[in-house]
């Protein structure tokens, strides 16, 4: 059966979103380029991208709902169903998997009583496996609302989700302090993180990831790992 038209946002919500949407669209020479941050904006309203949110994006940007849906369903960062306050993503790609990521994911599923892309009954945690968190130097890695938790074990991961469910403070290994998924979505839409000290706390790569850059800058002794082709080990200059 055909779906009924998406319900409209309440007038006050729509007015607020329209003001935010204008600020987003003004950043781009072509309004349709604003679709990705617009999807984050509507996701920040309800915690996932609803049919109402996609209709709002389409109406605001002069797109069809099919065009908006095609984008919203392509990127995994957009949730298509209600999800938890904290998105816990366990990397199960090759390096993290062999370093313990698979074990972490299996134990978290049992510990939380949920499967992949499922949410705990209290609405606090959505668990998912992620193909790569781009932090192989710190494998196995877990991300919570896109903040890094490096060098995890099944025990540390279970304690972390227990603390999140109980409302205790949980600090990422690096990066900004945690906030809810809705708050994260608003930041990803391009709006400032106004929490005191949050911007100053943000961080990028950790020390292990920067070794190559330091070597390239001559900031650390360079050690040749692979001998040039045709040059025997122990030969002068090796």
């Amino acid at each position: 059966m055909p779906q009924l038209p998406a319900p409209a946002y309440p007038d006050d919500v729509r007015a607020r979103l329209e003001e935010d949407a204008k600020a987003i669209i003004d950043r781009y020479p072509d309004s349709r380029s604003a679709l990705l941050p617009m999807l984050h904006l509507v996701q920040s309203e309800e915690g996932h991208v609803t049919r109402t949110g996609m209709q709002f994006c389409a109406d605001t940007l002069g797109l069809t709902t099919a065009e908006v849906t095609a984008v919203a369903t392509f990127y995994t960062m957009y949730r298509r169903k209600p999800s938890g306050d904290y998105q816990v993503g366990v990397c199960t790609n090759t390096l993290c998997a062999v370093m313990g990521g698979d074990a972490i994911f299996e134990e978290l599923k049992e510990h939380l009583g949920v499967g992949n892309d499922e949410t705990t009954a209290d609405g606090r945690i959505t668990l998912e496996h992620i193909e790569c968190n781009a932090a192989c130097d710190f494998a196995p890695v877990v991300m919570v609302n896109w903040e890094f938790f490096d060098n995890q074990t099944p025990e540390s991961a279970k304690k972390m989700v227990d603390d999140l469910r109980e409302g205790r403070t949980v600090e990422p290994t690096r990066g900004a302090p945690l906030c809810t998924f809705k708050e994260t979505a608003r930041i990803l839409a391009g709006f400032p993180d106004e929490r005191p000290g949050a911007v100053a706390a943000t961080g990028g790569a950790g020390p292990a990831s920067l070794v190559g850059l330091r070597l390239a800058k001559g900031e650390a002794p360079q050690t040749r790992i692979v001998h040039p082709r045709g040059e025997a080990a122990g030969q002068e200059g090796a």
Side-chain angles (χ1 to χ4, degrees), residues 3-37:
Q3 286 186 309
L4 295 173
Y9 284 122
D11 290 343
D12 60 328
V13 174
R14 186 176 185 90
R16 172 165 47 78
L17 290 177
E18 285 176 344
E19 183 178 351
D20 288 340
K22 183 180 184 306
I24 292 172
I25 294 168
D26 285 347
R27 303 174 194 151
Y28 299 92
D30 186 339
S31 63
R32 69 182 295 132
S33 300
L35 179 54
L36 294 180

Side-chain angles (χ1 to χ4, degrees), residues 192-215:
D193 187 344
E194 297 179 347
R195 296 174 296 157
V199 174
T202 57
S209 299
L210 299 175
V211 170
L213 180 61
R214 292 202 305 271
L215 287 172

